[in-house]
Structure formats: structure tokens, C-alpha cells
Amino acid sequence: NTWWHQFIKENNYRLCVNNSFSGATICHTGYRSEDYSDRSFITRMKALGCPDIIFIFGATNDYWAKSPLGEYQYADWSKKDLYSFRPAMAYMLDTMIDYYPNVEIYFLLNDGLGNEITESVRTICKHYQIDCIELKGLDKMSGHPSVKGMKQISEQVKAYMAAHGK
């Protein structure tokens, strides 16, 4: 019932790697301000195989964990910078563009994440010319997509790609 399984099945894709990790943040700061450098998106971003398309569904745990936002930063990241959301998000996209040339990269932006995270994702995706698929009106249980919500995500991703000639 996951959105990605529905999406690949309905669109005749093949899953190369699912590198999701429950509770993981993009930056190195996790829940209770713990060091998540062992599981953050930026730690795992080079372990995606040889894909044609990459969907990044992130920022939800950064928002829920109240990870520091930090400043917009598009170069010269220090290890300390990567403990804040904005620099880590930019570092992730910057690195993935170089590491996965000729791969279509999409960022899925969950609904209900608050203005600061939402605007940060939009701004950073725009800077790197990464398509940002803004999910809307998802059915959720305890903040997580329900079975219906998973179907809505799959449908919204499919609709976005169709509308953009992908």
C-alpha cells in the first residue's frame, strides 16, 4: 500500500533502491536534538544505485524534530552547517546533482509542515532547478499518510509528471 509501490506498479517502473529510514532527517539533527549523522538523508544519499529517477520525500522529520533551520547556504559547508536544515538540504541537492548526472530528481514536499520549512524547500529546490512536487490534502493518521493518503501521493506524483511531460 505504499505510495512508491503503487506508483511503480501503475506506471511500469522498476524499483532500484528504497533508501527510506524511519524518522530520518535531512540534516544531522534529529529528535531530542540527537546526532542523526548515522541515518540522515545526507549520509545515505550516495547509496541509491544507478537510478533513472530519484524521488526525495523529506523534511517531515526535520519539521517534527524541530531541527534548526539555519541560513540559506549554497557552498562551502562545514560539518557544523550540516546540523541545520537549510544548509543540509542545499548540500544534499548540490551533491546529488553531481553524483547522479542525467538522473531526474524530484523532491516531494509533504503538506502541513509549516511555512518556514515549506518556503525553505521551495527556495532551495528553485535554486537547484529541482522539481518540487507539493502534496496537498493528504489523508493522514497520527501525521502519517493512511492507505488513502498513500494512494493520493501516488496519484499526485503521477499527475505532476504527466503535467510536466515526464
Side-chain angles (χ1 to χ4, degrees):
N1 289 326
T2 60
W3 71 268
W4 60 88
H5 181 74
Q6 294 176 50
F7 181 79
I8 63 174
K9 186 177 177 187
E10 292 170 11
N11 296 285
N12 204 26
Y13 287 108
R14 183 178 57 86
L15 181 63
C16 179
V17 173
N18 175 355
N19 197 334
S20 56
F21 194 108
S22 180
T25 50
I26 290 174
C27 72
H28 289 327
T29 303
Y31 290 90
R32 299 165 300 283
S33 298
E34 291 175 13
D35 186 335
Y36 273 29
S37 59
D38 63 331
R39 70 199 85 155
S40 67
F41 280 48
I42 57 177
T43 295
R44 296 178 293 114
M45 68 184 165
K46 292 184 179 178
L48 303 179
C50 298
D52 296 315
I53 300 171
I54 296 173
F55 293 107
I56 305 166
F57 196 172
T60 301
N61 286 305
D62 297 85
Y63 175 69
W64 287 352
K66 297 177 178 54
S67 300
L69 272 177
E71 300 300 320
Y72 291 105
Q73 182 179 349
Y74 298 106
D76 303 320
W77 300 275
S78 69
K79 182 172 173 126
K80 181 179 180 275
D81 296 327
L82 301 180
Y83 283 84
S84 296
F85 177 75
R86 288 174 177 155
M89 169 100 182
Y91 172 74
M92 176 182 69
L93 294 183
D94 189 86
T95 301
M96 290 182 73
I97 288 165
D98 285 340
Y99 199 79
Y100 299 101
N102 305 314
V103 173
E104 294 178 51
I105 300 174
Y106 299 90
F107 193 96
L108 277 63
L109 178 57
N110 202 354
D111 63 351
L113 297 188
N115 192 50
E116 286 184 314
I117 286 277
T118 299
E119 283 303 315
S120 297
V121 169
R122 287 178 184 144
T123 299
I124 296 165
C125 283
K126 184 176 181 180
H127 177 86
Y128 287 104
Q129 299 176 350
I130 296 292
D131 286 69
C132 182
I133 303 174
E134 295 192 36
L135 303 171
K136 306 264 189 243
L138 300 180
D139 188 68
K140 297 179 182 177
M141 294 174 58
S142 302
H144 293 87
S146 64
V147 171
K148 179 181 177 184
M150 288 289 186
K151 184 162 184 56
Q152 291 171 316
I153 295 169
S154 177
E155 289 170 351
Q156 289 179 36
V157 171
K158 182 179 179 179
Y160 181 93
M161 294 183 75
H164 293 86
K166 308 287 182 177

